[in-house]
Each structure stands twice: as C-alpha cells, then as structure tokens.
C-alpha cells in the first residue's frame, strides 16, 4: 500500500483497495497502523489542493485522501563516477529535498571518495533541517559489476577505485542505516523509469553510452539486478566484430571499443586533435563536420546491431539512450533506430528509441539511487515503524 501511494500519489481508500487487490476492510486495518506510525497521513480540505488533487474529486466522499507522509523520513542516493560524487536527498513522497556534487581526481582512493560522499550527505541533511536519524536508507551507485553473493565490487574500468571493496559494509559501518549498492548505470535506468523518459512504460532497457557502455533493465517495473552473480547488463562487452581487437574481458571486437566516448574520440583524433573532449566532439557534430558525423553514424549502427539481438531476446517497449554520447541526439539515435528496424525481428523492431531526459552522469545515478531506496517498501516500512521518535501525522 505504501508502494502504491508513493507511485501514484494521494489516493482514496477505494482506489488503494483496487490497486492493491484487497478489500476495503483490509485497507482500513493496514492504513490505521500506518497512520498511527506516522508513515501515512490523511489529507482533507485545503490540504487536498496542496497535495495536487483536484478538489472536485473529493465531493461526496466521507473521508479524505491518503498519502505517504513526506516528513516521515528521507531517502538518499550517492553516486560515484570516476571523477564525481553526487548526493541526492528526497522525502518519503519522492520530492527532491536537496542535491549536490563534488569533483574528485581519477586517482582518488575509495576511502577519500567515501568520506566525500558522507560529507555531502551530512551537509544536505543539515541544509534541510534533518539528521541521520531521519534517514530510512541510502543507496550507493558505483561503476562496474557487483557480486551479489559477496557484495564486493569487481574490476572494470582502469582506475576503478572500488574494486575489491564491500561498499555496503563500509558505508553501513559509518552511517548505521540500511545501505543498498548497485551498478550506477542501473541506477540511471531507475531514475529514467521513475522521473524521466520511462515513466509511462513498464518494460524499459536503458543504455548508457559513456566512458564504458552499460545498461539497466526494468521488466514490468522491476529492476533486474544483474543475474545470478550481478554481472549482467554489460552490453559494452557484447561483440560487434568477431574479428576485432582482443578486449581485456577476453572477448574480441567488444562494442565498447567502437561506440564508447573514448573510442569515438580516438577515431576522431586525426580530425579533432589528440586533446579533444566531449564538447569539441559535440561542436563538430553540430557543425555537420563530415568525419564526425560518419564516426557517430558508425557507432550508432554497431550499437543498433547489438541492440537488435537484445530486442529479439527481451522485447522491451522502450530503449532509453543516456550517457555523454546521447547528447549528440539524432546523429547517433537515428542510426540506432534504422539498424533496429532493418535487423530485428518483425515483432520486436518497432521498439521506441529515445534520448534520456534527466541530467547526465552522477546526478541521474544519485536520484535513481534515492528512488531505489523508496522502492524497497518492506525494509522501508520496518525502518519507519521502528523509529522511536516518529510523530503520527507530522507532515511538512
């Protein structure tokens, strides 16, 4: 029921019963406990308008609408990329309370990254008049695969500071709140599904074209956490050319060597210069510079070929393309769409391919991390109802 209220906003008891597939009596019993615990509040009168409900909907109804109590707790997401740490703080209804980030050096060790993340979190809590005791949970995004059996981050990108670290244990030891850890590309997928380009669909594949190439999959609204050991979603290490160069992963011709940001910049170095970065690439693309347009087209076509196989296997309703290269827009999206239409099966080729809507990188990953905390409703309710200082119906 709490999950339904957080997903749909304020609901009348009858609507909550219908969505959850239970009787009105069951709703009343459970809601009474949630209200007593301060987890859910009832909105009536002018509170209805402030909750974003059309006041005309209340006419003739004896009781008010229910909503998650925004003041009952805060959820936080922290996301770590190679060069940035970002923290995002929301209330229980998913409204943003504060968000901020800092830069770190590529060679910064994990201990200093952890300290920077906790400093950001404490600063945002203080800024919003809250303390750690108001936190119901923190989710952490890190690059690379996460072993679901051991909780240890596996090696991926060169300079991956978190490799070999049990991130949940290290943060949990310092924060004394429930901690979740997930690959940050999958958290970007959660963010897009919750607040961005995937919020009106149920089956979404998110593709991050960045320093590496990763993905996140939501099936019927549920995040796929990476398979038996957590190593799934590494689209960048699917082969785009079986005769291509040997990859450190052991495969040949991996997509990451053709369609990642470093690969595209390397291919364009003779044209844009050895020191060219993303902004120079995007400027050349906007000017229609022929070599730049061709390299982006080639990257899009290879990506589309790999995605066609994935569509034949999973048949997602929408593919959301994020990461730095998505800023090239249709120059890379159109080749992906065209290749999908040409090479995927008839039943899967009409997949909707769109650009990500949210801010790129760590900011999106951090907001997705906060959303992931709010999706863990069993753990969330337990944390909320066990808080000794929770005040019933104390709303902001």
């Amino acid at each position: 029921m709490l999950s339904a209220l957080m997903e749909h906003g304020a609901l009348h008891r009858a609507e909550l019963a219908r969505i959850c597939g239970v009787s009105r009596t069951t709703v009343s019993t459970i809601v009474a406990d949630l209200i007593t615990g301060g987890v859910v509040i009832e909105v009536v009168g002018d509170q209805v308008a402030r909750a974003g409900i059309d006041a005309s909907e209340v006419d003739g109804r004896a009781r008010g609408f229910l909503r998650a109590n925004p003041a009952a707790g805060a959820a936080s997401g922290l996301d770590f990329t190679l060069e940035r740490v970002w923290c995002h703080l929301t209330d229980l209804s998913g409204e943003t309370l504060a968000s901020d980030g800092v830069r770190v050096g590529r060679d910064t060790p994990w201990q200093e990254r952890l300290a920077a993340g906790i400093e950001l979190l404490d600063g945002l809590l203080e800024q919003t008049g809250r303390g750690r005791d108001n936190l119901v949970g923190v989710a952490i995004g890190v690059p690379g695969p996460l072993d679901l059996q051991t909780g240890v981050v596996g090696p991926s990108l060169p300079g991956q500071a978190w490799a070999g670290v049990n991130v949940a244990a290290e943060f949990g030891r310092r924060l004394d709140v429930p901690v979740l850890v997930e690959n940050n590309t999958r958290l970007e997928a959660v963010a897009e599904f919750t607040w961005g380009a995937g919020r009106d669909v149920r089956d979404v594949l998110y593709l991050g074209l960045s320093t590496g190439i990763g993905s996140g999959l939501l099936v019927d609204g549920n995040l796929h956490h990476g398979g038996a050991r957590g190593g799934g979603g590494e689209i960048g290490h699917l082969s785009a050319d079986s005769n291509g160069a040997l990859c450190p992963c052991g495969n040949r011709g991996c997509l990451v060597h053709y369609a990642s940001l470093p690969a595209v910049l390397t291919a364009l170095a003779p044209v844009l210069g050895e020191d060219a970065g993303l902004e120079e690439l995007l400027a050349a693309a906007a000017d229609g510079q022929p070599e730049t347009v061709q390299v982006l087209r080639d990257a899009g076509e290879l990506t589309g070929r790999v995605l066609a196989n994935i569509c034949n296997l999973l048949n997602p309703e929408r593919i959301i393309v994020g990461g730095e290269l998505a800023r090239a827009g249709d120059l890379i999206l159109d080749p992906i769409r065209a290749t999908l239409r040409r090479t995927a099966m008839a039943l899967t080729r009409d997949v909707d391919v769109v650009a990500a809507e949210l801010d790129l990188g760590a900011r999106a990953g951090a907001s997705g991390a906060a959303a992931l905390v709010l999706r863990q409703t069993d753990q969330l309710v337990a944390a909320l109802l066990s808080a000794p200082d929770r005040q019933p119906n104390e709303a902001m």
Side-chain angles (χ1 to χ4, degrees):
M1 290 182 190
L2 181 61
S3 177
L5 291 172
M6 290 193 295
E7 179 177 353
H8 298 279
L11 295 170
H12 195 267
R13 284 171 171 78
E15 295 166 324
L16 191 57
R18 177 180 54 79
I19 291 171
C20 296
V22 297
S23 69
R24 292 279 296 274
T25 301
T26 300
V27 166
S28 296
T29 301
I30 295 175
V31 163
D33 289 339
L34 294 175
I35 290 176
T36 299
V39 180
V40 167
I41 58 174
E42 198 163 11
V43 287
V44 294
D46 60 355
Q47 292 177 318
V48 172
R50 291 202 300 270
I53 306 167
D54 184 351
S56 64
E57 296 181 15
V58 185
D59 294 344
R61 297 186 179 180
R63 307 184 74 176
F65 283 75
L66 302 166
R67 67 178 305 202
N69 184 358
S76 178
L78 281 163
D79 192 52
F80 295 86
T81 63
L82 292 182
E83 297 180 329
R84 187 176 285 276
V85 183
W86 201 278
C87 183
H88 190 82
L89 192 67
T90 76
D91 64 23
L92 190 60
S93 67
E95 290 295 320
T96 298
L97 295 172
S99 193
D100 199 8
V102 295
R103 287 195 172 277
V104 293
R106 281 179 169 253
D107 58 349
T108 302
W110 69 265
Q111 294 90 340
E112 294 181 25
R113 292 171 185 263
L114 182 150
I118 291 179
E119 184 178 354
L120 269 173
L121 172 58
D122 285 338
L124 295 185
L125 286 170
E126 182 179 1
Q127 176 185 324
T128 56
R130 298 173 184 244
R132 288 190 189 177
D133 58 350
N134 192 240
L135 284 173
V136 296
V138 177
I140 314 292
V142 293
L146 176 71
D147 191 319
L148 297 179
Q149 294 184 14
T150 66
V152 173
V153 179
S156 56
L157 301 170
Q160 160 62 299
W162 297 102
V165 178
N166 188 319
V167 179
E170 295 295 342
F171 272 92
R173 192 174 298 125
R174 292 161 175 83
L175 292 176
D176 195 29
V177 297
V179 176
L180 305 168
V181 180
E182 186 52 271
N183 170 270
N184 48 19
T185 303
R186 285 199 278 270
L187 292 178
E188 291 173 26
V190 173
E192 287 292 334
F193 180 83
T194 306
W195 293 299
R199 59 187 177 275
D200 59 341
V201 294
R202 300 297 294 172
D203 296 293
V204 172
L205 175 67
Y206 174 85
L207 177 71
L209 297 177
S210 187
T211 304
I213 301 178
S215 70
L217 176 67
L218 289 104
V219 179
D220 195 25
N222 298 308
L223 179 66
H224 179 68
H225 290 281
R229 293 289 297 268
E234 294 294 330
I235 287 180
H237 291 287
L238 295 181
S239 180
D241 179 4
S242 59
N243 297 314
L246 184 66
C247 178
C249 77
N251 198 4
R252 283 191 175 274
C254 290
L255 181 64
V256 70
H257 295 297
Y258 304 97
S260 64
L261 177 59
V264 169
L265 289 174
T266 298
L268 288 170
V271 178
L272 302 181
E274 295 288 340
D275 297 326
L278 175 64
E279 297 307 322
E280 290 81 6
L281 166 65
L282 295 175
D287 289 341
Q289 202 276 328
E291 289 86 350
T292 301
V293 171
Q294 185 60 52
V295 168
L296 287 172
R297 181 181 297 122
D298 292 343
E301 288 178 353
L302 283 173
T303 302
R305 191 181 306 164
V306 169
L307 286 175
N309 291 323
I310 294 172
C311 286
N312 288 347
L313 177 66
L314 300 175
N315 192 201
E317 184 177 356
R318 181 170 296 165
I319 295 174
I320 301 171
V321 183
E324 288 90 343
L325 279 182
R327 291 175 59 188
D330 288 339
L331 287 177
I332 197 163
L333 293 180
D334 279 346
I336 292 175
R337 294 174 181 128
T339 305
L340 276 170
R341 286 193 295 270
R342 187 174 65 251
T343 58
M345 295 191 312
L347 286 176
T348 64
R349 68 178 56 150
D350 289 332
V351 58
D352 192 20
V353 179
V354 301
E357 291 183 2
L358 301 178
D359 290 332
L360 299 171
R363 183 193 295 264
S367 65
L372 188 66
V373 173
L374 296 178
R375 293 165 71 92
Q376 307 299 309
T377 47
D378 288 347
Q379 173 180 293
L380 184 61
V381 171
L384 288 165
L385 294 182
S386 65
D389 57 348
R390 190 78 59 214
Q391 294 299 315
N393 296 313
E394 179 188 347
M396 295 186 70

